[in-house]
Amino acid sequence: MKSAKIIGIGKYLPKRVLTNRDLEKMVNTSDEWITTRTGIKERRVADKNEATSDLGLKAALDALKDAKIKARDIDLIITATITPDTQFPSTSSIIQSRLGAKKAACFDISAACSGFVYSLITAQQFIENGAFKNVLVIGAEKLSMAIDWTDRNTCVLFGDGAGAAVVSGSKKPGILSTYMGGDGSLGNLLMVPAGGSRLPASHETIDKKLHYLKMQGNEIFKLAVTAMTDAAKKVLLKAKLNINDIDCLITHQANARIILATGKKLGISPDKIFMNINKYGNTSSASIAIALCEAVRSKRIKRGDIVVLDAFGAGLAWGACVIKW
Ligand code: UT7
């Protein structure tokens, strides 16, 4: 059986930078509060006419170039997003058409901040069972459209961006072990209440600002640390590795304090933890993909390294995987 290996990665960040200082002029906040409580210094915001597929497409092109394969050789496109261009068709279908990836099947995955890890694990299943050879996995978000820019509790945290990976069948080891978990009973801690079949868009939902992201940050914080610690331990055990075998840990980038607390609970040395939250904030489905791309391109991850990807987010949904790079 062939293993599923990432053979190319890519990213795209919108050009516009929104700094903490800019936010000071918009809501009652401070650079000091945001920096010390979250580790975020700035984030990217897409243009009004830039949709999630525009970000995802650019990350995908970057990943295809890195993998040195053509769009026509892609068998399946999975886009992880909670900010799709439209309810349907899928954002993957829109990207497929623009890439000219004519033979690719397409669907999206909605697993919020765990979206990229969930999509990677999904790609692995199709590759290891022999159904597909090359899968394009994209994590892309335009979260700025789902943010209430008058709510200081949430507007300082999120950003837009996209990352992508080409996953292919390989004789060399790639994804070594995986784990996925969830708890739907806590779904109300982080959600966009309206816009779906429960509360379709109406004048009332708009007046009540129900199309914006709502989060009980404090509760989510504690659950994130526990779940990501547990998920990382589970995948290490499955791969018959221990904490000292990890060369690089990339968790979902939601809050530097969550990332460091998870690292501390795991007992991993802080220099093995990759973080770029200072530059981009929380980009949900895109965050781990962008971080992985930057860790590889800056040589923080080298061929043969053991990398753990560890995610947590709305759903609640969480998951992890061990990769031999
Ligand atoms: O991506 C999926 C998962 N998402 C996460 O993992 C996010 C998890 N949560 C967090 O990262 C943190 O809980 C936050 C960053 C959201 C908040 O940090 P916290 O240390 O948990 O603060 P808090 O919610 O306990 O709020 C402390 C205070 C409050 O004031 P009072 O009630 O103590 O007077 C807030 O009103 O900080 C206030 N506050 C702010 N102050 C200045 C909240 N947001 C801001 C702000 N600027 N932007």
Side-chain angles (χ1 to χ4, degrees):
M1 193 172 75
K2 288 200 166 175
S3 73
K5 194 165 183 72
I6 296 177
I7 63 158
I9 44 165
K11 62 166 187 169
Y12 175 75
L13 280 311
K15 301 279 167 287
R16 187 177 152 213
V17 176
L18 187 73
T19 65
N20 292 349
R21 294 277 180 219
D22 296 328
L23 282 162
E24 284 178 352
K25 293 174 205 143
M26 296 161 61
V27 288
N28 180 16
T29 191
S30 65
D31 174 46
E32 200 264 333
W33 191 95
I34 304 171
T35 307
T36 54
R37 297 293 185 111
T38 72
I40 302 166
K41 292 300 280 184
E42 57 188 45
R43 69 287 294 141
R44 301 296 176 95
V45 178
D47 276 352
K48 227 161 100 183
N49 59 0
E50 222 174 4
T52 294
S53 69
D54 298 316
L55 312 183
L57 175 71
K58 286 181 176 150
L61 287 167
D62 192 23
L64 288 172
K65 193 173 158 208
D66 189 48
K68 299 184 185 67
I69 74 165
K70 297 269 180 274
R72 62 172 178 268
D73 294 323
I74 296 293
D75 302 300
L76 169 66
I77 300 173
I78 308 174
T79 303
T81 185
I82 48 169
T83 52
D85 285 26
T86 50
Q87 290 260 5
F88 65 88
S90 70
T91 300
S92 289
S93 301
I94 297 164
I95 293 173
Q96 182 237 30
S97 151
R98 292 176 65 191
L99 278 176
K102 288 215 158 86
K103 74 169 174 180
C106 309
F107 61 85
D108 290 355
I109 282 187
S110 169
C113 307
S114 296
F116 184 73
V117 169
Y118 270 44
S119 300
L120 208 53
I121 296 171
T122 305
Q124 177 201 20
Q125 311 311 309
F126 286 111
I127 287 166
E128 291 189 353
N129 76 16
F132 293 131
K133 192 164 173 282
N134 300 310
V135 181
L136 175 60
V137 175
I138 302 164
E141 301 287 7
K142 186 181 179 180
L143 286 163
S144 58
M145 70 102 195
I147 296 302
D148 177 355
W149 289 101
T150 64
D151 175 14
R152 71 171 185 178
N153 289 296
T154 50
C155 77
V156 303
L157 303 174
F158 297 92
D160 301 335
V166 178
V167 190
S168 296
S170 172
K171 286 182 193 138
K172 293 182 191 155
I175 299 174
L176 303 182
S177 70
T178 66
Y179 168 75
M180 297 157 94
D183 185 354
S185 72
L186 297 172
N188 60 341
L189 293 179
L190 179 48
M191 71 187 305
V192 174
S197 58
R198 180 67 64 196
L199 279 178
S202 66
H203 288 295
E204 194 190 349
T205 60
I206 290 169
D207 290 344
K208 290 185 171 166
K209 296 187 168 189
L210 296 178
H211 295 272
Y212 292 131
L213 181 153
K214 318 276 177 203
M215 178 168 73
Q216 292 177 41
N218 226 302
E219 287 305 308
I220 292 280
F221 190 113
K222 289 173 258 173
L223 291 161
V225 175
T226 308
M228 287 200 293
T229 304
D230 182 59
K233 282 183 179 166
K234 281 198 165 80
V235 287
L236 284 173
L237 195 68
K238 271 195 194 175
K240 299 192 175 59
L241 296 170
N242 69 55
I243 200 74
N244 298 320
D245 296 318
I246 299 180
D247 296 297
C248 186
L249 171 69
I250 299 180
T251 76
H252 169 50
Q253 308 284 303
N255 185 324
R257 285 159 54 220
I258 295 179
I259 300 169
L260 294 174
T262 304
K264 197 169 173 193
K265 274 190 121 180
L266 283 169
I268 187 168
S269 123
D271 61 295
K272 290 187 171 179
I273 302 172
F274 185 84
M275 275 202 273
N276 61 0
I277 186 166
N278 58 321
K279 296 190 288 181
Y280 309 129
N282 181 348
T283 58
S284 193
S285 304
S287 95
I288 289 182
I290 297 168
L292 179 63
C293 183
E294 294 197 341
V296 170
R297 288 190 180 164
S298 64
K299 310 251 183 311
R300 275 285 281 102
I301 294 174
K302 296 175 279 312
R303 278 285 157 219
D305 276 1
I306 296 293
V307 179
V308 172
L309 306 182
D310 200 0
F312 176 89
L316 304 175
W318 59 90
C321 57
V322 179
I323 294 173
K324 191 171 172 71
W325 192 253

